[in-house]
Amino acid sequence: MNVKRLLAAALSAATLLSTLPAALAADTSEPARRGEVCAALVQAADDYNPGVTAADVMHGDPDGNLRENDPVTRAEALVMLQRAFGELPSPVGDNARKGYPASNFTDIPNWAKSELKSVFEAGIVAGTSATAFSPDESVTMNQLNKFINRTYALLGSNLKDDFYAAVNKDWLDSSTLKPGAPQSGTLYDLMFDTAPLTELIDKAVSNPRNEDERRIAALYNNILDWDARNAAGLAPIQPYLDALENVRTLDELLAVRHQLSEELASSVLLGFGLSSDAKDSTKYTVSFSTFFPSMTKDLYAQDAGDKKEAYLAYVRRVLEIAGQDSESAKADADRLWAMEKALSPSRLDQQEYADVDKIYNPYTMDELKALFPHVDLDAVYADSGLAPSDKILVSDKGLMQATAAYFDDAHVEDLKIMTRVSLLISYGGYLSRDFWDASDAFQQAFLGTEGTTTDEEAATQIVQGTLADELGHLYAAAYFSPEAKADVLDMVHDFIAIYKERIQKLDWMSDATKKKAIEKLDTMGVKVGYPDDGEWNDLLKGVTLKTKAEGGSYFDNMVTIAKANKQLLIDWQKKPVNKGLWAMSPFTVNACYVSNNNEICFPAGILQSPMYDVNASREENLGGIGYVIAHEITHAFDNNGAKYDKNGNAADWWTQEDYAAFQQLCNQAIAYYDGVEAAPGITCNGTLTLSENIADLGAASCILEAAQREANPDLETMFRAMARTWASTMPRETAEYYAQIDLHAPDKLRGSRVLQSLDEFYEVFGIQPGDGMYMAPEQRISIW
């Protein structure tokens, strides 16, 4: 799938806690006193403005009275900060993108606009709300600490105060974003580098030698055939739009839904699919789902702002492309928003979709029919082509129950709008240029991106997402060596051995549970590089994608692929789960743990420089790919993975006491990350990111132990490599959105907060109380 259109495609389915010293970090609602503010600033600024004194920071009355016990206003605190640190530099690069815009504040006094110009331009000012600076309110120590921490990040010159900012300063300051790219960084630049795949595609297009390459050539050429796509316009989906226009009852709407299923292999509004059974991972089970809200709960709750307007503008635009006038398009977009907002509170929170206890909800067909009395669910089931099943899984039963209320004649207009918008967003990208332009405009408004990728880059990304096996075969042969695979496998097995030893030493886990945990490690599957024979999905084996000369088009190709995918599920239902199949493609720049298989997977795409280099030092590779490998192993024991046994089945293998102890550690991990700032005003949600944070903390401990087993470990190099691994930049709008939906902590915390949990980190860099990176030993956290 085209990366720059991920956000739009997703819509189609639905149509710091301060890191200052503990003495300074405690927040109260009590106003901070002039004396304590001055002391904190002198201590914080000493390495940046050597020799700064209290007299430089805190000026008294003409009679010499320093009023040390008087409260400090927020404006005064910034004046004192500026005296302590000196004139702040103008932000560049990442700091310029993510700084809090002073233009958001509507209450900056005129004197401050002049005297504090550099402070506001630096983007470090924390308001009391999104638009209020509140200059005359008393500052608290927590607010002051935010000002200081943001100043550390802006300056980025002291490893002891902001390790991530200092290690990555040159890159962060000079960072740029490619047109249309929502982010850039160590990993993201590999993800968005289409050059290796483009080279493979170009060869296939110029001289297709086999069925794989012929499919690649057909799809790629059809994507770029704008003359044909624009000439066809809405014609490929116009019959369905016309049919929707004539719908007056739920039965008539469901008839259109049936038509879409039969002719496009599409499943709108509700439908049945197939997934592996979490409680018996050798079997496939039928699943049932309905439409869901497109945006996050927070956005619906706020019910205002630029992101809401960006979404509504996008919906209005695709409706207008389909022929609606602006007034009716606006009314339909507003009605869609109202329906999604009403449904939003019923859905699971983002992190709960990985919790098997929340998403494993078996129903019988009779139970579903009772919830949808006006829907012929037998007919909907028949559309799937699946064989009958006495168990049907629902992942979000609260949302399903809420949407069920819409399936009647009284709500048919709401469902018509949902279907129309879903149809236009799902298939519009296969049609004319104006749909692509609408998608680009939406992403720019929603994520703050600028420009767009070239048509050729976009086509490469689409082929990459659509013909993963075909392109994967070519990539594996061209870009991954047996030597690299062997080296990485050795590293994986080293880490598993380290984990066994660490588990044996845990003081909070009993021997009975330790035995089960080690059995899980012993049976863990490991996939490195690319699939062996028999492990490819081969979704389109025997399927022809027609070229233009053969009467094909981009739209037709995608429908053919959708029908092949539907047939694949029908075929799979008759067989046991093939655990040899890969969850990722060889060119994927990522890695994963698959709980249902109890396996870790590292595609060739991520096993390249700068993440991995056979010629790099052991410590550099540990801080790069080693961090990633250990992270995925730890997922077997995070708050979600811990609910699966050695066979990949959701089963309880813990003693009651051990699991209670683990839950207590999970709560500590939530608190350790919750509220920590990654950029001004953008904080980490410790609950949302718990599973990934556990994996990061476990990875850090594992690779540290691996390094310490070397003869003369260079821990400084490894710690720096860990921070560089997560170097990234993105527009502020993107960072805000990711903080709401991403199960990972913001990248900065993955390269800094995790290090603060390691005693050796403090020893290597001489970090002491008073340094910004310092945390007291009792505040540090270790689980695995």
Side-chain angles (χ1 to χ4, degrees), residues 2 8 31-32 38 53 133 142 162 201 242 282 360 409 438 477 591 605 633 636 747 757:
N2 185 356
C38 178
T53 66
F133 167 50
N142 185 62
D162 191 323
I201 291 171
D242 292 342
T282 66
Y360 193 89
D409 287 344
I633 294 173
D747 291 329
S757 68

Side-chain angles (χ1 to χ4, degrees), residues 314-534:
Y314 180 49
V315 174
R316 291 195 298 266
R317 179 58 187 141
V318 296
L319 290 172
E320 289 170 358
I321 294 171
Q324 286 188 226
D325 60 74
S326 59
E327 185 176 345
S328 67
K330 181 182 184 307
D332 282 357
D334 290 343
R335 186 163 179 168
L336 178 66
W337 176 270
M339 177 172 63
E340 292 184 339
K341 180 184 177 183
L343 290 170
S344 180
S346 302
R347 70 184 307 186
L348 293 173
D349 291 334
Q350 189 75 11
Q351 70 276 5
E352 292 178 316
Y353 286 104
D355 184 346
V356 68
D357 294 336
K358 299 286 181 66
I359 63 173
Y360 193 89
N361 304 295
Y363 282 77
T364 65
M365 179 62 91
D366 286 342
E367 288 171 333
L368 291 177
K369 287 178 178 178
L371 288 169
F372 294 84
H374 307 295
V375 177
D376 184 352
L377 282 183
D378 288 327
V380 174
Y381 195 99
D383 285 341
S384 72
L386 297 170
S389 173
D390 56 2
K391 181 170 70 173
I392 300 169
L393 294 178
V394 174
S395 62
D396 193 335
K397 64 180 183 180
L399 178 62
M400 180 195 67
Q401 291 165 358
T403 56
Y406 282 82
F407 284 87
D408 58 24
D409 287 344
H411 293 90
V412 72
E413 286 303 316
D414 295 301
L415 297 181
K416 278 176 60 176
I417 294 169
M418 172 65 74
T419 305
R420 184 182 296 111
V421 171
S422 179
L423 185 62
L424 291 169
I425 292 177
S426 297
Y427 294 95
Y430 310 153
L431 304 177
S432 54
R433 171 74 73 173
D434 40 12
F435 281 104
W436 277 46
D437 292 342
S439 175
D440 284 337
F442 171 55
Q443 176 161 305
Q444 290 167 22
F446 197 91
L447 295 181
T449 58
E450 296 182 1
T452 183
T453 57
T454 67
D455 287 351
E456 290 74 19
E457 288 173 329
T460 294
Q461 291 166 354
I462 294 169
V463 171
Q464 173 183 342
T466 308
L467 301 180
D469 279 347
E470 286 79 358
L471 199 53
H473 283 294
L474 301 180
Y475 186 90
Y479 289 110
F480 196 59
S481 70
E483 293 81 8
K485 183 168 185 173
D487 190 37
V488 172
L489 278 170
D490 285 343
M491 196 180 299
V492 172
H493 293 307
D494 285 348
F495 290 166
I496 289 176
I498 288 172
Y499 260 93
K500 291 181 184 179
E501 294 178 20
R502 291 184 64 83
I503 287 173
Q504 288 285 19
K505 296 175 184 177
L506 291 175
D507 59 7
W508 56 269
M509 182 181 279
S510 70
D511 289 342
T513 307
K514 286 178 181 178
K515 180 182 178 182
K516 297 287 188 180
I518 290 171
E519 287 177 354
K520 190 169 184 181
L521 287 168
D522 283 335
T523 55
M524 182 176 287
V526 179
K527 293 176 177 175
V528 173
Y530 52 87
D532 294 324
D533 291 342

Side-chain angles (χ1 to χ4, degrees), residues 122-291:
I124 67 163
V125 177
T128 57
S129 74
T131 57
F133 167 50
S134 305
D136 298 323
E137 285 190 16
S138 296
V139 73
T140 66
M141 287 306 298
N142 185 62
Q143 291 165 346
L144 179 71
N145 291 339
K146 287 183 179 179
F147 296 155
I148 293 173
N149 278 340
R150 296 174 186 185
T151 303
Y152 288 157
L154 175 71
L155 299 173
S157 57
N158 191 340
L159 292 166
K160 298 181 181 183
D161 287 331
D162 191 323
F163 188 76
Y164 172 90
V167 167
N168 296 308
K169 179 175 175 55
D170 290 344
W171 186 90
L172 291 170
D173 285 353
S174 61
S175 62
T176 58
L177 290 170
K178 289 177 60 178
Q183 61 234 40
S184 175
T186 304
L187 271 170
Y188 304 125
D189 290 348
L190 287 178
M191 290 178 181
F192 297 142
D193 181 11
T194 59
L197 298 180
T198 298
E199 182 179 344
L200 295 174
I201 291 171
D202 285 346
K203 290 180 180 178
V205 169
S206 63
N207 181 30
R209 299 165 299 176
N210 52 44
E211 277 302 314
D212 280 355
E213 294 186 358
R214 279 190 282 274
R215 281 190 285 267
I216 289 171
L219 180 61
Y220 185 81
N221 286 331
N222 283 336
I223 293 168
L224 294 178
D225 189 354
W226 282 110
D227 289 342
R229 291 173 62 180
N230 288 330
L234 281 169
I237 61 171
Q238 192 64 59
Y240 312 110
L241 294 173
D242 292 342
L244 277 174
E245 190 65 30
N246 296 321
V247 163
R248 296 295 180 267
T249 67
L250 178 62
D251 285 344
E252 291 173 348
L253 179 61
L254 292 175
V256 176
R257 185 208 166 279
H258 170 72
Q259 185 182 4
L260 289 167
S261 177
E262 285 289 299
E263 298 175 10
L264 302 183
S266 173
S267 181
V268 296
L269 296 180
L270 76 175
F272 295 87
L274 199 70
S275 63
S276 60
D277 192 317
K279 296 194 175 182
D280 185 352
S281 61
T282 66
K283 297 180 179 179
Y284 288 109
T285 301
V286 174
S287 59
F288 174 73
S289 60
T290 61
F291 65 89

Side-chain angles (χ1 to χ4, degrees), residues 32-36 58-73 76 80:
R33 306 296 171 178
R34 283 168 53 84
E36 62 182 334
M58 184 169 60
H59 298 175
D61 296 332
D63 61 4
N65 181 9
L66 294 178
R67 296 181 286 110
E68 292 182 85
N69 291 319
D70 285 1
V72 183
T73 68
E76 288 172 337
M80 295 170 72

Side-chain angles (χ1 to χ4, degrees), residues 613-625:
D613 189 336
V614 290
N615 298 315
S617 71
R618 168 77 165 170
E619 290 83 359
E620 287 174 308
N621 279 333
L622 284 174
I625 196 61

Side-chain angles (χ1 to χ4, degrees), residues 470-643:
E470 286 79 358
L471 199 53
H473 283 294
L474 301 180
Y475 186 90
Y479 289 110
F480 196 59
S481 70
E483 293 81 8
K485 183 168 185 173
D487 190 37
V488 172
L489 278 170
D490 285 343
M491 196 180 299
V492 172
H493 293 307
D494 285 348
F495 290 166
I496 289 176
I498 288 172
Y499 260 93
K500 291 181 184 179
E501 294 178 20
R502 291 184 64 83
I503 287 173
Q504 288 285 19
K505 296 175 184 177
L506 291 175
D507 59 7
W508 56 269
M509 182 181 279
S510 70
D511 289 342
T513 307
K514 286 178 181 178
K515 180 182 178 182
K516 297 287 188 180
I518 290 171
E519 287 177 354
K520 190 169 184 181
L521 287 168
D522 283 335
T523 55
M524 182 176 287
V526 179
K527 293 176 177 175
V528 173
Y530 52 87
D532 294 324
D533 291 342
E535 295 179 346
W536 295 85
N537 284 317
D538 288 327
L539 166 66
L540 298 180
K541 189 174 183 179
V543 175
T544 299
L545 298 184
K546 293 182 179 179
T547 65
K548 179 182 179 181
E550 295 167 334
S553 68
Y554 179 24
F555 177 88
D556 292 334
N557 291 164
M558 296 305 289
V559 171
T560 297
I561 292 169
K563 289 181 177 179
N565 187 65
K566 181 177 179 179
Q567 184 60 49
L568 186 69
L569 297 184
I570 294 171
D571 295 339
W572 277 2
Q573 190 186 17
K574 307 168 189 173
K575 305 173 184 177
V577 172
N578 181 357
K579 294 193 176 185
L581 298 179
W582 280 49
M584 292 182 166
S585 302
F587 50 75
T588 302
V589 181
N590 211 328
C592 66
Y593 171 74
V594 183
S595 55
N596 272 98
N597 290 358
N598 185 30
E599 70 177 22
I600 47 179
C601 178
F602 307 99
I606 199 172
L607 303 176
Q608 60 178 307
S609 181
M611 293 301 298
Y612 168 76
D613 189 336
V614 290
N615 298 315
S617 71
R618 168 77 165 170
E619 290 83 359
E620 287 174 308
N621 279 333
L622 284 174
I625 196 61
Y627 189 144
V628 174
I629 292 170
H631 171 98
E632 300 306 338
I633 294 173
T634 312
H635 270 313
F637 305 102
D638 69 22
N639 58 306
N640 296 316
K643 296 178 179 180

